[in-house]
Amino acid sequence: GAKTGYVMSHKLYGPKNADVDFAPLFLQIGYTLTDVHDSFPVRGSLELIFEPTFMLVTKPSDTFGKGASLLLRYNFVTGTRWMPFFELGIGLLHWNMRVEDVLGSEFNFTILGGPGVNYFVTDNWAVTGQLGLWHASNAGRKEPNQGINSIMYLLGFAYYF
């Protein structure tokens, strides 16, 4: 599948907001680790997702970034066309900018995740919506390392085999 949207940074802690906004493209290739188990409301399955990432940074300057993440997603199987999920993952990111007083390196680590929902328009194709959190940090390898904390607003599609 694929998801895109807009991501805006917010000050969660530290003395300064990073003020970095970007439009991501998350490509997703998943593998279901468990069969559907239990009964609703926790009936579902666990999925491992590899997610190559491309981003067009729009603020503070026009530039780009690329990386990849590994995510775990729990799909809540409802027996309807709606399938809510929650995913959480970690990744690597390289972009060709440094954010003054906030993030002193081009190579960073990411933590991301949040709730979403798939709506199946056919047995295999789904429209995806997600609201999530995204954090980037260089893990203290360079100063400064306040990190970037953002909220993701995403729409996309998925094909399930």
Side-chain angles (χ1 to χ4, degrees):
K3 296 185 291 189
T4 190
Y6 205 68
V7 179
M8 297 182 294
S9 64
H10 296 277
K11 181 181 171 193
L12 297 181
Y13 60 87
K16 184 176 180 178
N17 177 18
D19 209 22
V20 174
D21 296 351
F22 60 91
L25 174 61
F26 298 117
L27 303 175
Q28 294 191 324
I29 302 164
Y31 178 76
T32 303
L33 299 173
T34 65
D35 292 331
V36 175
H37 57 84
D38 292 327
S39 59
F40 187 78
V42 293
R43 181 175 180 236
S45 63
L46 189 62
E47 184 178 1
L48 178 66
I49 298 172
F50 174 66
E51 185 178 77
T53 303
F54 305 93
M55 59 179 63
L56 175 62
V57 180
T58 58
K59 189 178 180 183
S61 62
D62 292 342
T63 189
F64 64 92
K66 58 200 170 298
S69 298
L70 276 177
L71 300 106
L72 283 175
R73 174 188 286 178
Y74 191 81
N75 294 302
F76 297 91
V77 178
T78 64
T80 70
R81 291 189 176 273
W82 296 94
M83 186 170 67
F85 63 85
F86 187 86
E87 64 185 26
L88 186 63
I90 57 173
L92 305 172
L93 170 70
H94 179 270
W95 52 18
N96 59 348
M97 72 172 195
R98 289 187 179 91
V99 183
E100 288 288 321
D101 302 323
V102 176
L103 200 57
S105 65
E106 294 178 357
F107 178 79
N108 296 283
F109 301 93
T110 59
I111 301 171
L112 63 155
V117 66
N118 283 311
Y119 177 77
F120 284 84
V121 293
T122 70
D123 287 345
N124 300 96
W125 285 100
V127 175
T128 304
Q130 184 176 11
L131 178 66
L133 297 176
W134 184 88
H135 172 79
S137 166
N138 65 37
R141 295 178 314 103
K142 278 192 169 175
E143 289 295 327
N145 184 39
Q146 179 179 311
I148 298 172
N149 299 295
S150 304
I151 296 178
M152 305 184 292
Y153 306 92
L154 304 170
L155 285 174
F157 66 91
Y159 183 84
Y160 287 82
F161 294 94

